[in-house]
Amino acid sequence: MNEIQRIGLFCGAQTGVQPSYGQAAQAFAAELAGRGLDLVYGGGSVGLMGVVARTVRDAGRHVIGVIPRALTTRELSGDVIGELVVVDTMAERKERILTLADAFVTLPGGFGTMDEMFEAITWGQLGIQGKAIGLLNINGYFDHLVQWVDHAVDEGFIRKHHRPLLVSSSDPAELLEMIAGHTPPAGITRWE
């Protein structure tokens, strides 16, 4: 893949109500491992993040979890998955993940997941980083979000040249290919 060695993951600390979310998360993790990619994520062992991290680790790839001290009792259940970095704040967690990853993928999640993803997009919009950001659109989970982004472009609240900062697919292999072929919009360079 195009200089990409480590994927940053944003996703839920829950598995959702449909078993297909967990199944798709596991398939995505298998695709990552099959491509020889490592993972950096929120550090929890629960929810979709636990499913992906465990699958990647069990396939022999390196996993780095970054978790705020305050969440260790909520998001860690049982084993620690891979290398665990404990930080003091959510802001430190996001900055560390944004720094360590070469590209980002978002799976279904809630407010925290969206916060992490939108911070990565905002860093791209501001020219701080040019790393690809993708949505794994399981069961159409992100359909309304993608429609909103397109609507915001049409209404002039997101510049057209920033729209390519976010790509989307329901297929893990296709999404990773889109990320590998990502070219940052003009004026944005890869942040190292």
Side-chain angles (χ1 to χ4, degrees), residues 1-2 4 132 175-184 190:
M1 290 183 71
N2 187 15
I4 296 173
L175 182 62
L176 290 171
E177 288 301 320
M178 292 168 80
I179 287 171
H182 171 77
T183 301
R190 278 198 188 273

Side-chain angles (χ1 to χ4, degrees), residues 102-117:
D102 300 313
F104 308 98
V105 172
T106 304
L107 274 63
F111 291 134
T113 300
M114 295 298 99
D115 172 58
E116 292 168 334
M117 180 193 71

Side-chain angles (χ1 to χ4, degrees), residues 36-122:
L37 297 172
D38 295 327
L39 178 72
V40 60
Y41 80 113
S45 59
V46 296
L48 294 181
M49 73 169 100
V51 170
V52 174
R54 230 177 247 100
T55 304
V56 170
R57 179 204 60 197
D58 291 351
R61 301 306 309 167
H62 187 74
V63 174
I64 301 171
V66 183
I67 192 165
R69 195 172 319 289
L71 292 182
T72 56
T73 57
R74 282 193 237 169
E75 292 185 358
L76 284 175
S77 176
D79 64 330
V80 171
I81 304 169
E83 177 185 342
L84 187 65
V85 177
V86 179
V87 295
D88 291 323
T89 67
M90 289 294 287
E92 286 179 82
R93 175 198 225 179
K94 289 187 287 187
E95 184 175 356
R96 187 73 63 95
I97 292 171
L98 289 168
T99 301
L100 291 172
D102 300 313
F104 308 98
V105 172
T106 304
L107 274 63
F111 291 134
T113 300
M114 295 298 99
D115 172 58
E116 292 168 334
M117 180 193 71
F118 277 116
E119 183 143 349
I121 293 169
T122 301

Side-chain angles (χ1 to χ4, degrees), residues 80-191:
V80 171
I81 304 169
E83 177 185 342
L84 187 65
V85 177
V86 179
V87 295
D88 291 323
T89 67
M90 289 294 287
E92 286 179 82
R93 175 198 225 179
K94 289 187 287 187
E95 184 175 356
R96 187 73 63 95
I97 292 171
L98 289 168
T99 301
L100 291 172
D102 300 313
F104 308 98
V105 172
T106 304
L107 274 63
F111 291 134
T113 300
M114 295 298 99
D115 172 58
E116 292 168 334
M117 180 193 71
F118 277 116
E119 183 143 349
I121 293 169
T122 301
W123 281 28
Q125 190 176 24
L126 295 174
I128 297 170
Q129 64 93 5
K131 300 173 186 179
I133 304 158
L135 295 170
L136 184 59
N137 195 9
I138 302 167
N139 296 340
Y141 185 82
F142 291 117
D143 285 352
H144 296 315
L145 178 63
V146 171
Q147 290 170 0
W148 171 81
V149 171
D150 291 334
H151 179 67
V153 170
D154 292 343
E155 294 297 317
F157 290 102
I158 296 174
R159 292 186 175 136
K160 289 181 182 176
H161 69 276
H162 287 142
R163 177 60 183 91
L165 288 170
L166 183 65
V167 297
S168 176
S169 177
S170 60
D171 178 73
E174 180 181 53
L175 182 62
L176 290 171
E177 288 301 320
M178 292 168 80
I179 287 171
H182 171 77
T183 301
I188 298 175
T189 58
R190 278 198 188 273
W191 179 63

